[in-house]
Amino acid sequence: MENNQKFLNVNIIGVGTYLPDNKVDNEYYINHFKELKGIDITGALESIGRDYRHISTDLDETIITMSTEAALIALKESNTNPEELDMVVFSTDSPEFTTPTNAIKLVNAIGAKNAKLVYDINANCLGMTLGLDQVSRTMKTNKRFKKALIVGSVLISSIARKDDFLTYATFGDSASAVVLEAVEESYQRGVIDSVSYTDSDQHATSQSPINGFSRYLRTDVTDKEELKWFSYPVESANYPSIWSDMIKDLLSEHQKTQFDIDFFALPQFTEPLITDTLKALDIENIDEHYNFVSRNIGYTGTSCVIFSIKDALNKGKVKEGSSVIFVGSGVGFSTMALYYKF
């Protein structure tokens, strides 16, 4: 008997990334913290895994201009005219504007004049993974949306305090973009499902602005550093254990195991977090199943999993038919694992 079952799939059809031209090596930051605080961060940078990061020096460069560049690359790769877009979502935790949305600015910049649903999200480093999940679910339940653009960007150089090692020395400025298309097919692929987890006990470990917007804006504080991002050293959550449990739980819902996954696009803050997660999953030959791109470009926050998947696509680690797990994780903390099939 012929199987006529159809699946409404939401597929990634284009990926774009953008980095500012200015590439900064470790020497600058090592000298900076020696002079400012009398500390040597050489070992810390090696432990975290940083050699370079891209930092914008152009005052006219913003998350909107960077995301425009990434979006145009993704649109070209997917052979999509901006006027075909029905939905545009912008993920950032360093917004250029709170009103109007940065997504509205981007829509105007790329000429997406037929976009119907346009909004920002801020889930910190979880953002692009969350965007993939939210947008795909909307497209699957509302047939008015055929094509969507999700962009993520952070201009860390505008919000990192120069005395905060974690953000100032390890992050980089960047933007990423993906184009999604909803299409009926005879087999299931694209965004399959997701699972989430939140623990708010660490809500005060990293804050921007340090004391909140209202205190800064309603008092006589004039120090710009008070409006920036500061991190407080605390014992980290056991992310490898949490992520591995989430991944196994997610896949079991679809009669799959971790051994059915070809590639893991995991948070790119440190390489040991990735390798420890794969070890917790009992993955063999782990080098074949992940990458770590932050060593050469800096940590790109919300966009890090998109930089990871773009690199994997370029190098053939991910191709048509590959099963992939995306994991995004935002400070505080909230995290999501997403199951995707190319």
Side-chain angles (χ1 to χ4, degrees):
M1 183 183 236
E2 186 178 355
N3 183 4
N4 294 318
Q5 183 178 7
K6 293 289 186 181
F7 296 91
L8 182 58
N9 295 326
V10 177
N11 303 320
I12 296 172
I13 60 172
V15 181
T17 56
Y18 172 82
L19 296 165
D21 291 334
N22 182 44
K23 191 173 184 178
V24 186
D25 65 17
N26 285 347
E27 184 179 1
Y28 167 80
Y29 295 95
I30 292 169
N31 292 335
H32 169 81
F33 279 95
K34 279 182 180 177
E35 294 173 8
L36 183 69
K37 303 183 77 170
I39 60 174
D40 185 355
I41 65 168
T42 304
L45 288 173
E46 180 54 37
S47 176
I48 289 175
R50 295 295 184 277
D51 291 334
Y52 301 96
R53 68 286 290 149
H54 290 255
I55 301 295
S56 176
T57 56
D58 181 356
L59 290 180
D60 292 324
E61 190 159 56
T62 69
I63 62 164
I64 296 166
T65 64
M66 292 193 297
S67 292
T68 297
E69 296 294 331
L72 292 175
I73 294 169
L75 289 166
K76 182 177 180 180
E77 182 178 284
S78 64
N79 196 28
T80 299
N81 188 299
E83 295 182 9
E84 296 179 66
L85 295 172
D86 303 302
M87 186 176 183
V88 176
V89 174
F90 200 129
S91 168
T92 186
D93 51 9
S94 60
E96 187 68 14
F97 299 96
T98 57
T99 305
T101 65
N102 298 277
I104 286 284
K105 294 285 190 179
L106 177 68
V107 162
N108 181 263
I110 65 174
K113 64 181 183 180
N114 294 316
K116 305 169 185 69
L117 183 57
V118 178
Y119 63 93
D120 290 354
I121 58 173
N122 178 6
N124 303 122
C125 305
L126 169 57
M128 286 298 283
T129 306
L130 175 63
L132 284 170
D133 185 61
Q134 282 189 344
V135 173
S136 67
R137 290 181 187 277
T138 298
M139 296 174 80
K140 286 183 178 184
T141 57
N142 190 332
K143 293 187 177 181
R144 294 177 180 85
F145 301 110
K146 303 295 185 186
K147 285 191 175 183
L149 172 70
I150 312 171
V151 301
S153 184
V154 60
L155 190 69
I156 194 67
S157 58
S158 69
I159 61 171
R161 285 176 60 110
K162 292 184 178 181
D163 60 351
D164 182 27
F165 162 74
L166 186 68
T167 53
Y168 188 67
T170 70
F171 282 56
D173 297 330
S174 66
S176 67
V178 295
V179 178
L180 300 180
E181 182 178 37
V183 59
E184 279 196 348
E185 297 177 301
S186 59
Y187 56 98
Q188 188 177 32
R189 64 176 180 136
V191 178
I192 306 297
D193 199 5
S194 68
V195 63
S196 304
Y197 175 84
T198 294
D199 181 349
S200 65
D201 285 349
Q202 296 185 8
H203 71 94
T205 60
S206 186
Q207 297 186 165
S208 174
I210 298 170
N211 295 308
F213 277 115
S214 63
R215 185 180 296 273
Y216 180 86
L217 296 172
R218 295 192 296 176
T219 65
D220 294 330
V221 175
T222 58
D223 182 4
K224 284 185 178 181
E225 297 301 291
E226 286 291 313
L227 197 56
K228 295 184 179 181
W229 190 351
F230 194 79
S231 304
Y232 301 91
V234 294
E235 184 175 347
S236 177
N238 188 352
Y239 293 110
S241 175
I242 293 168
W243 293 337
S244 59
D245 286 346
M246 290 173 63
I247 291 167
K248 287 187 281 189
D249 177 50
L250 171 61
L251 293 172
S252 69
E253 291 289 320
H254 299 273
Q255 293 75 53
K256 301 289 184 181
T257 74
Q258 63 269 35
F259 307 114
D260 295 306
I261 301 303
D262 300 296
F263 187 81
F264 296 82
L266 301 184
Q268 299 280 304
F269 188 66
T270 73
E271 191 166 10
L273 282 177
I274 301 173
T275 56
D276 287 352
T277 301
L278 297 188
K279 288 174 183 177
L281 289 168
D282 296 319
I283 301 297
E284 296 182 354
N285 303 316
I286 61 174
D287 289 348
E288 299 174 7
H289 298 283
Y290 84 97
N291 59 12
F292 181 64
V293 300
S294 295
R295 181 173 291 278
N296 289 317
I297 66 172
Y299 180 58
T300 55
T302 184
S303 293
C304 72
V305 292
I306 306 304
F307 275 90
S308 170
I309 207 68
K310 181 70 170 178
D311 179 78
L313 287 164
N314 288 343
K315 294 178 179 177
K317 281 191 170 184
V318 171
K319 47 188 172 293
E320 186 176 351
S322 293
S323 293
V324 173
I325 291 290
F326 291 85
V327 174
S329 194
V331 69
F333 71 102
S334 189
T335 189
M336 172 184 284
L338 182 142
Y339 177 27
Y340 185 95
K341 188 164 185 179
F342 279 86

